[in-house]
Amino acid sequence: MRPANDNRENRPQEPMNFIANQLNFDDAQLEKMEVINDKHHFEMRRISDDLRGLKDDLFKELSNTDLQNETVDSLTTLIGNKQKERETEVFYHFRSIQDICNEKQSEKFEVIIKDALRKGDNNGPEGQRPPPPNGHGPPPRD
């Protein structure tokens, strides 16, 4: 429930509030979604903290005069695994939300997610990023 003085129409909605409003969740669904979101935020913070630590470890190696390629390979593999864990967590988070939807809500939820993914895709044709607004950017790679 929103407080009477909560003026959300004048500010951007958080993604989960947007989804709950678009799907017209009832109170029971809102309570379930809150539990799902709390768990998701905890997991995402944990993964982000782990990633930050691994990246710190990697870049500490910049000044290592006795740098071994295996060290860089190991750390970048661990970073890649954490990125995978993050993507998996996001996927199952949305899956958990879809699980509390009725059939009609589930169909609308799929449309919302597909639209969000399209808007979030900054890559142009053939996986290339669009040029920067000033028209200058790094030279193309060979």
Side-chain angles (χ1 to χ4, degrees):
M1 289 271 173
R2 291 183 187 162
N5 63 353
D6 187 4
N7 195 3
R8 291 180 191 234
E9 290 78 30
N10 293 334
R11 61 182 187 200
Q13 291 182 321
E14 294 179 28
M16 290 301 114
N17 289 337
F18 172 79
I19 289 171
N21 288 335
Q22 289 294 307
L23 299 178
N24 199 24
F25 275 175
D26 62 27
D27 288 341
Q29 288 172 311
L30 288 171
E31 286 180 31
K32 289 176 184 175
M33 190 166 93
E34 187 173 342
V35 170
I36 291 166
N37 284 336
D38 288 347
K39 179 185 176 291
H40 175 67
H41 286 261
F42 176 82
E43 288 299 316
M44 292 300 283
R45 273 192 300 273
R46 181 189 58 77
I47 293 167
S48 290
D49 289 346
D50 291 350
L51 264 170
R52 193 173 307 110
L54 288 167
K55 288 180 180 183
D56 286 348
D57 290 346
L58 176 64
F59 284 94
K60 285 177 189 173
E61 296 297 322
L62 280 174
S63 58
N64 183 350
T65 57
D66 192 30
L67 179 64
Q68 302 294 313
N69 287 338
E70 293 81 14
T71 302
V72 174
D73 288 346
S74 176
L75 286 167
T76 55
T77 296
L78 292 171
I79 290 168
N81 289 340
K82 280 293 168 186
Q83 294 284 16
K84 177 183 174 186
E85 185 178 349
R86 182 184 353 211
E87 295 302 321
T88 302
E89 170 59 31
V90 169
F91 174 83
Y92 283 109
H93 169 68
F94 287 123
R95 181 73 179 261
S96 294
I97 292 172
Q98 189 174 31
D99 287 346
I100 64 173
C101 294
N102 63 35
E103 188 175 332
K104 186 175 179 180
Q105 290 169 327
S106 183
E107 290 170 6
K108 189 168 185 177
F109 182 72
E110 285 184 36
V111 172
I112 291 169
I113 295 301
K114 285 179 186 174
D115 286 347
L117 289 173
R118 279 191 210 111
K119 288 178 185 175
D121 183 12
N122 291 332
N123 292 337
E126 300 178 24
Q128 296 176 353
R129 292 180 187 250
N134 63 6
H136 300 288
R141 291 186 192 171
D142 291 326

